[in-house]
Amino acid sequence: MMYNGVQCEFPPGYDGTVLLERLQPILDPELDESILQLGFIQSLHVHDGHATIAVQLPTSWCAANFAYMMADDIRRALLTVEGIHQVTVRLQDHFAAEAIETAVNAGKPFAEAFPGEGCGSLSALRVTFLHKGFTSRQERLLRALRAVGFLPEDICALRVGDVVVQGDACVVQRAGHASIEVGAAETLCRYLARRAELGLDCAATAPLMTDLRGHPLTVERLEAYYQTARTVRVSLEANGLFCRTLLTVSQPNAGERAR
Amino acid sequence: MYTHQGQDIFVIDGHTHLWDASPANWRNKYGEGWIKCFYAFHNGLSPAEATWPFEKFCQYGEETLVDDLFFKGYVDMGILNSTYLYEFYLNGFNSHSQNNAIKAKYPDRFILCGSFDPRAEEAGLDAFHQMVEEYPIQGLKLYTAEWRDGSRGWRLNDPWAYKYLDLCQELGIKNLHVHKGPTVYPLSRDAFDVHDVDYAATDFPDLNFIVEHVGLPRLEDFCWIATQESNVYAGLSVAMAFSRLRPQYFAEIIANLLFWLGPDKLCFGSDYAIWSPKWLIEKFMAFELPDDIKKEYGVDLTLEIKRKILGENAARLYGIDIAMQKAKLSQDGIGVKLATVA
């Protein structure tokens, strides 16, 4: 049976939706998008508590480090599901599939997948891309605020608590002002989620727009900051698009999976 | 030559290949994987009429290249990239000596790029000297993700790379086309990282670094570096191919490049045979930045800027006088045949 374009095989009566839910937050770190929505998950089979998952990346040359991160994140996420005691990740058609699968499926670190190739930990790389994702998510919120006419002084004065989700929309509610809708709720949620993930202050009284160190953006700095952030967002989105296009060529079904 | 409302536009295709990726040349599964990946780029973004069967894509030969570039594709001159990949292909993917065969036939039509690999250390310096003596090398293509004896890449600021860059200055080779690939040492770092270009560009101010594919997938890092360094340029291949399927992103990429780098540092490239210049140039010439993008970025893609991107900027880098070059090209075999067709 198919769930969101993923070919699934579960034991009779088994509810596999929880597995797919656990996969949902896993991101392609380089693109800052869900691997499920990118269409990277080809199939998911569960037999006797053993989950086997096939991952198809856009090309066989996708960078080994990011491929490892995604495979490792998948395995860890599925192992948190009650009743799943073993996970096997298969990387389809990838130049380093064997090395990555062997390490990931045995729970070994990246350095052990490629001994002697100068592999340290991937944590610094992961942080770099969490930061790029932060900037890109923040740019979308900044863009939405600018689009409805917020001036730099308005934007810099906003607190986290001034912006709320109402249905599918993001709404600015400031004392003494009429409420204004500023784009999709998802834009705000994604920004705040990453902000929290990075350990930045998300209290209602905290400034809405801060840099990666948590320093509030000042009116003088805002325009230059936005211009840089805009390029980060364009870069990430263009790469995501390129990857989706490539995946659709090799895997016509991926179009169905991808959102 | 592209003609727009009676005006000639001189075209230099900054990124072309004449490769042999036929199965007989595959050394191993990587040779197969490599060309299949290229084919996915080709197949995913080319219009139907410009999409080839895989067999043709593996090896298309000289005549096809000449036809696609000069007769169908509006190109006046092409820069031949040399990418060796000896660990994937028995005779290499496209070496400078293979490329030179076509350069020898049409000397005024091509700019031949050689290459170096700093991991060859001292012995490679001699080989580099020899290459420059034996071949009409005008520029270099540097592919930092090439595999070699268990290593999966190098960086432009490696100590040995600097010795080669010194030699480039000494030999008067000024233009270096730099391409990042997916597997660079050490594997735990970002394989597409372009910051090594920053170091090299600062330390070698007399060399020009043309970063192919505008640093994609690291457009933001590339823009930052190219803004700081006056000798860093953008090669537009890959970005060009967005023009057909994703014009909105093409517009945003171009607007970012114009915003950060300005119109004098952007050079057209098709990455032939991944994509053919005919459709890329037709799309590009018909393309205009949408008003909202123009307004937001404060830039425009005028006809004058298109001329710079398509040929004038690369001509300046390679010291080509366009009027003189046009006169020369009208006399070569291709020019004469083009005149009879027209």
Side-chain angles (χ1 to χ4, degrees):
Chain A
M1 67 194 120
M2 301 291 272
Y3 282 100
N4 301 322
V6 180
Q7 195 265 321
C8 293
E9 224 179 272
F10 301 130
Y14 185 89
D15 181 11
T17 49
V18 64
L19 282 94
L20 291 158
E21 279 166 15
R22 296 287 160 92
L23 293 174
Q24 183 59 38
I26 297 174
L27 303 177
D28 177 325
E30 200 181 1
L31 305 177
D32 194 34
E33 289 188 64
S34 161
I35 54 169
L36 210 51
Q37 278 156 18
L38 284 162
F40 291 178
I41 306 296
Q42 206 174 44
S43 67
L44 173 60
H45 296 185
V46 176
H47 293 288
D48 296 334
H50 180 178
T52 305
I53 183 161
V55 178
Q56 172 73 53
L57 298 177
T59 78
S60 59
W61 286 99
C62 291
N65 43 25
F66 291 114
Y68 173 93
M69 278 190 226
M70 288 183 264
D72 190 47
D73 288 351
I74 289 168
R75 178 174 174 274
R76 285 167 196 272
L78 293 182
L79 281 173
T80 64
V81 176
E82 205 185 329
I84 299 291
H85 54 79
Q86 193 186 350
V87 175
T88 303
V89 183
R90 292 275 170 241
L91 270 186
Q92 313 286 68
D93 186 30
H94 189 267
F95 82 94
E98 201 184 327
I100 293 171
E101 287 173 3
T102 306
V104 165
N105 292 327
K108 290 187 174 158
F110 181 66
E112 286 189 36
F114 300 95
E117 296 200 48
C119 306
S121 144
L122 295 178
S123 53
L125 187 64
R126 199 184 279 272
V127 169
T128 300
F129 281 85
L130 283 174
H131 286 174
K132 284 181 193 277
F134 170 87
T135 306
S136 165
R137 292 171 183 212
Q138 186 180 36
E139 189 268 356
R140 284 190 199 120
L141 186 56
L142 273 169
R143 167 175 297 268
L145 289 163
R146 290 161 60 103
V148 295
F150 275 71
L151 298 172
E153 47 271 36
D154 303 322
I155 293 172
C156 295
L158 288 173
R159 305 274 140 189
V160 170
D162 295 334
V163 189
V164 296
V165 166
Q166 278 181 9
D168 290 337
C170 166
V171 175
V172 177
Q173 290 178 333
R174 293 172 297 175
H177 291 81
S179 296
I180 307 178
E181 202 175 306
V182 284
E186 197 194 2
T187 306
L188 176 67
C189 296
R190 279 172 56 84
Y191 168 60
L192 291 177
R194 178 57 51 84
R195 185 165 152 150
E197 199 177 347
L198 291 173
L200 299 170
D201 185 4
C202 292
T205 51
L208 181 66
M209 290 297 166
T210 73
D211 64 17
L212 279 161
R213 287 170 301 174
H215 297 158
L217 295 183
T218 58
V219 172
E220 300 72 43
R221 202 179 149 201
L222 190 69
E223 186 62 23
Y225 184 93
Y226 173 70
Q227 288 165 351
T228 305
R230 186 169 65 186
T231 309
V232 175
R233 191 260 311 159
V234 169
S235 183
L236 260 61
E237 285 183 0
N239 294 329
L241 199 70
F242 194 59
C243 292
R244 278 196 170 87
T245 306
L246 295 179
L247 191 65
T248 319
V249 176
S250 64
Q251 297 280 308
N253 289 336
E256 246 174 81
R257 299 200 288 273
R259 199 183 63 173
Chain B
M1 193 79 64
Y2 188 91
T3 307
H4 178 82
Q5 295 171 354
Q7 274 190 59
D8 286 345
I9 296 178
F10 191 78
V11 177
I12 299 179
D13 188 335
H15 198 133
T16 68
H17 299 271
L18 181 60
W19 65 57
D20 173 11
S22 56
N25 194 23
W26 297 348
R27 186 180 289 281
N28 44 37
K29 66 172 181 173
Y30 303 119
E32 180 181 2
W34 178 271
I35 194 64
K36 284 190 168 164
C37 179
F38 272 27
Y39 188 65
F41 296 170
H42 168 76
N43 201 5
L45 291 165
S46 298
E49 71 275 12
T51 305
W52 295 354
F54 180 64
E55 295 67 33
K56 179 182 175 185
F57 190 74
C58 286
Q59 193 179 25
Y60 41 92
E62 213 176 279
E63 266 180 49
T64 307
L65 178 140
V66 168
D67 196 39
D68 284 337
L69 260 53
F70 306 114
F71 289 101
K72 293 190 185 131
Y74 314 109
V75 173
D76 294 288
M77 296 180 70
I79 300 179
L80 286 163
N81 279 247
S82 299
T83 315
Y84 300 82
L85 305 178
Y86 285 118
E87 297 219 349
F88 303 165
Y89 294 98
L90 296 165
N91 303 314
F93 186 63
N94 60 169
S95 67
H96 63 271
S97 56
Q98 289 161 339
N99 281 328
N100 191 50
I102 192 167
K103 162 83 178 166
K105 276 190 200 162
Y106 308 103
D108 296 325
R109 292 278 166 186
F110 292 104
I111 289 167
L112 178 65
C113 284
S115 192
F116 67 71
D117 188 327
R119 293 165 298 183
E121 300 188 351
E122 196 69 46
L125 288 171
D126 295 337
F128 187 61
H129 258 292
Q130 201 185 339
M131 173 185 76
V132 176
E133 268 171 35
E134 288 177 9
Y135 294 92
I137 301 291
Q138 288 173 273
L140 296 183
K141 161 74 179 287
L142 300 177
Y143 183 58
T144 60
E146 174 123 25
W147 290 14
R148 185 190 176 96
D149 298 334
S151 147
R152 302 198 199 211
W154 55 279
R155 290 183 189 276
L156 280 164
N157 57 335
D158 291 341
W160 270 103
Y162 268 31
K163 294 191 187 185
Y164 284 79
L165 295 176
D166 278 331
L167 187 54
C168 288
Q169 291 207 134
E170 194 186 313
L171 297 171
I173 296 175
K174 281 182 68 91
N175 295 317
L176 281 60
H177 300 257
V178 183
H179 178 212
K180 299 283 155 186
T183 50
V184 169
Y185 181 92
L187 282 188
S188 54
R189 281 184 51 184
D190 178 9
F192 296 101
D193 181 69
V194 287
H195 287 98
D196 56 334
V197 178
D198 201 0
Y199 293 105
T202 304
D203 292 334
F204 294 89
D206 295 335
L207 301 178
N208 299 315
F209 295 83
I210 302 106
V211 176
E212 297 300 332
H213 320 317
V214 296
L216 282 169
R218 303 289 175 260
L219 178 70
E220 70 282 33
D221 296 335
F222 166 72
C223 284
W224 180 248
I225 291 164
T227 305
Q228 308 296 313
E229 307 291 344
S230 60
N231 54 339
V232 173
Y233 292 75
L236 286 177
S237 60
V238 177
M240 295 298 303
F242 277 82
S243 60
R244 192 181 67 87
L245 274 182
R246 304 294 181 177
Q248 173 69 22
Y249 279 95
F250 181 65
E252 287 211 84
I253 291 170
I254 290 287
N256 269 282
L257 292 169
L258 288 171
F259 179 82
W260 291 110
L261 280 71
D264 296 323
K265 292 173 90 183
L266 315 182
C267 302
F268 166 71
S270 64
D271 216 341
Y272 184 82
I274 298 184
W275 298 292
S276 276
K278 177 179 161 56
W279 73 266
L280 293 174
I281 291 172
E282 286 171 357
K283 277 281 164 208
F284 182 67
M285 287 306 298
F287 181 82
E288 286 194 30
L289 285 180
D291 286 339
D292 60 331
I293 299 268
K294 278 190 214 175
K295 188 168 165 240
E296 179 176 345
Y297 287 84
V299 298
D300 197 1
L301 182 61
T302 60
L303 180 61
E304 190 199 345
I305 294 175
K306 285 178 177 172
R307 296 177 75 99
K308 289 182 174 191
I309 293 174
L310 284 177
E312 290 172 4
N313 290 340
R316 199 176 61 251
L317 283 174
Y318 279 96
I320 294 165
D321 178 314
I322 291 178
M324 278 169 61
Q325 191 70 16
K326 274 166 77 171
K328 244 196 229 175
L329 293 175
S330 68
Q331 303 300 315
D332 80 350
I334 291 169
V336 169
K337 202 168 158 196
L338 274 169
T340 61
V341 176

